[in-house]
Amino acid sequence: MSLRVERLDSLKGFDYSGKGADDFRQLFQNVLGSGLHGLCYSAYDEGQKPGAILTKAQIRRRMGIIAPYIKWVRSFSCVEGNELVAEVAREMGIKTLVGAWLGDDKDLNEQEIEGLIRQAKAGYVDIAAVGNEVMYRGDLTEGELLEYIARVREALPGDIPVGYVDAYYEFSARPQITAACDVILANCYPYWEGCHIDYSLMHAKQMYYQALHAGQGKKVIITETGWPSQGTALNDAEPAHHNALRYFLNIQQWARQDNIEVFYFSSFDESWKVGAEGDVGAYWGLWDKSEKLKF
């Protein structure tokens, strides 16, 4: 049976009445097969975690799996082999949002910033992200982050937009950082705010439009959004296979209808993430840790 990709209700999303498991799988195949704007790249194989050195072979293997479905890929770091993600993406004709991971280790920050500049000068970067959720974590001061952003902008070719990734509300709260960005790179997670799946599409839209208002005319890209397929509930937000599928379908169809650029989180499940996020951390991928599609 073939189902067309239907127009979704502006608040709740797809009308799921009368549809069974086979219908949902077909809808997923339709949406995935018609192409996504982008995915966040899950770099680490089972048994690996940050600190492991990635190889080009493993990056090429996973990139090959997702390449037929995406125009863009987002990477998170420029050291320990992560710098190869953008290079491999280029080989496969995929555009790149390349991130320098910043934290409270100044020496490592220097390696990340230098790596981002080096990749950009080599032609591997379409959008440069200077840091990810640094303000949310409190790893740097605003002044320190602004210095990194200015340094990268000064070093990069002028046609590469420079931005910073954080939770959508940080761009309202920190106008100096917002002003320093060429593009607003906003993470939007109804799940992490305990939102019930029935209201998650509406909440995601509110997040996006708050960032858009803060940007005062600048482009807003949703750099992360997703829903875990299993784990412990957070208030009204329930991790479940059917909820993860529903959220993916709703977000992708909204993005298509309203021309919103979205990097979905994430490509593959990664077991190491349970330490930082609890048991849900390992289950954000469209593919599982064995690189099999979940839906």
Side-chain angles (χ1 to χ4, degrees), residues 17-292:
S17 58
K19 292 183 173 65
D22 289 342
D23 298 327
F24 286 123
R25 280 191 288 269
Q26 186 64 59
L27 279 169
F28 175 77
Q29 291 296 331
N30 288 352
V31 171
L32 186 66
S34 61
L36 313 179
H37 173 76
L39 283 171
C40 295
Y41 187 78
S42 306
Y44 297 104
D45 288 344
E46 186 69 7
Q48 291 183 321
K49 61 183 179 180
I53 305 302
L54 304 176
T55 68
K56 184 173 280 190
Q58 75 180 95
I59 292 169
R60 187 175 285 120
R61 186 189 73 246
R62 284 195 163 181
M63 195 72 72
I65 293 171
I66 65 176
Y69 309 108
I70 60 173
K71 300 174 184 176
W72 288 73
V73 69
R74 179 188 170 202
S75 63
F76 290 79
S77 172
C78 295
V79 301
E80 298 175 341
N82 286 282
E83 67 275 10
L84 299 172
V85 173
E87 183 178 338
V88 171
R90 271 288 189 273
E91 293 174 1
M92 299 184 181
I94 301 168
K95 292 187 174 183
T96 61
L97 193 165
V98 179
W101 186 272
L102 302 180
D104 56 10
D105 185 328
K106 299 301 175 63
D107 291 337
L108 187 55
N109 288 350
E110 284 300 309
Q111 296 176 44
E112 290 277 3
I113 292 296
E114 290 171 5
L116 177 57
I117 292 169
R118 187 164 52 247
Q119 286 192 74
K121 289 183 174 180
Y124 296 132
V125 179
D126 291 295
I127 299 174
V130 184
N132 179 71
E133 297 187 341
V134 176
M135 294 293 99
Y136 171 78
R137 295 192 306 273
D139 288 345
L140 298 174
T141 67
E142 284 194 37
E144 288 170 329
L145 177 60
L146 288 167
E147 287 179 7
Y148 284 126
I149 293 172
R151 180 175 158 192
V152 171
R153 175 177 284 105
E154 183 177 354
L156 261 56
D159 60 341
I160 299 177
V162 176
Y164 162 67
V165 179
D166 212 326
Y168 68 99
Y169 52 79
E170 293 287 359
F171 296 99
S172 300
R174 303 180 188 273
Q176 285 185 292
I177 292 174
T178 304
C181 294
D182 300 322
V183 60
I184 308 303
L185 306 175
N187 292 346
C188 301
Y189 282 111
Y191 174 82
W192 285 121
E193 295 191 1
C195 182
H196 192 282
I197 190 64
D198 285 351
Y199 309 108
S200 58
L201 175 62
M202 179 173 60
H203 195 24
K205 289 183 177 186
Q206 291 171 334
M207 293 171 167
Y208 170 80
Y209 284 110
Q210 181 174 333
L212 191 67
H213 181 266
Q216 298 182 18
K218 295 181 179 181
K219 175 188 275 190
V220 174
I221 298 172
I222 296 179
T223 37
E224 292 178 36
T225 194
W227 199 277
S229 59
Q230 58 182 291
T232 303
L234 177 63
N235 298 326
D236 290 334
E238 180 186 354
H241 185 276
H242 61 278
N243 285 344
L245 175 55
R246 178 178 174 184
Y247 188 77
F248 171 81
L249 293 173
N250 285 343
I251 289 294
Q252 293 301 326
Q253 191 65 352
W254 166 54
R256 194 163 300 165
Q257 288 178 186
D258 289 8
N259 197 30
I260 310 297
E261 296 182 13
V262 173
F263 287 83
Y264 201 79
F265 191 91
S266 189
S267 45
F268 301 91
D269 284 349
E270 292 183 288
S271 296
W272 71 271
K273 296 194 72 188
V274 297
E277 299 179 2
D279 58 0
V280 298
Y283 302 107
W284 291 84
L286 298 180
W287 286 261
D288 66 20
K289 65 183 181 180
S290 300
E291 302 173 356
K292 305 295 183 185

